[in-house]
Amino acid sequence: MERQKIIKELEDVVLDITLFLRHEIGNEVDCELGKSVMNLSYNQQMILFLIEKKDIKHVKDLASYLSISPSAVSQIIAKFEQQDIVIREIQLSNRRTTLIKIGPKGRDILNEMDAIKSNVFVKYLSKMEEEDLLSFKKSFHKFLNIIVEHKEEHE
């Protein structure tokens, strides 16, 4: 098969998988969290994920990762702060800088989001043979490494 055609098919498949999983996980989070806490938009979910899992603590960095404005992130953070989902702290080494950390409610939400995400992935990946899973894992790690290396070269 021609290389460009393979790349195009992979592009379509990765996009379809991303959209499907984003929709399914997002809907599950809305249903589960809607009962006890709140409905979270995709950007709200991603902000919590980035703060906790990727250790991103500044509004401008969150905005950059999500390709949204810093003011949009600040509005989400302000809402989260009122609900004890996140905590803002002044950085001791530079008092003009504010750090964002996950609060107690935020930790509960993240735990629930992790469980939902894991359930969705297990539901589908458990249907694959172990050999296919290992190949899939290896290929995706290689793809991620290429993306990271390219990004680092162009920063």
Side-chain angles (χ1 to χ4, degrees), residues 28-98:
E28 291 287 327
V29 170
D30 285 347
C31 293
E32 295 296 318
L33 295 176
K35 296 175 195 167
S36 58
V37 182
M38 62 187 298
N39 294 337
L40 296 176
S41 70
Y42 176 75
N43 283 341
Q44 290 171 325
Q45 292 174 40
M46 289 306 299
I47 284 172
L48 292 177
F49 173 80
L50 291 169
I51 292 168
E52 180 70 10
K53 306 291 185 185
K54 299 297 182 184
D55 200 35
I56 299 174
K57 307 291 184 195
H58 300 95
V59 167
K60 67 177 177 53
D61 297 329
L62 292 166
S64 175
Y65 266 85
L66 294 172
S67 298
I68 60 176
S69 70
S71 68
V73 173
S74 289
Q75 288 176 351
I76 293 170
I77 295 300
K79 181 179 177 182
F80 279 172
E81 190 175 26
Q82 291 172 346
Q83 298 170 327
D84 295 324
I85 294 171
V86 299
I87 300 165
R88 289 189 213 224
E89 293 182 353
I90 302 295
Q91 187 175 12
L92 297 176
S93 63
N94 180 356
R95 299 204 46 84
R96 290 180 289 166
T97 303
T98 303

Side-chain angles (χ1 to χ4, degrees), residues 9 11 34 39 41-42 66 85 99 111 117 127:
E9 286 180 16
E11 174 188 334
N39 294 337
S41 70
Y42 176 75
L66 294 172
I85 294 171
L99 300 176
N111 289 340
K117 178 179 54 74
K127 297 180 188 291

Side-chain angles (χ1 to χ4, degrees), residues 111-122:
N111 289 340
E112 217 167 318
M113 284 171 51
D114 282 345
I116 290 165
K117 178 179 54 74
S118 291
N119 288 338
V120 169
F121 274 85
V122 166

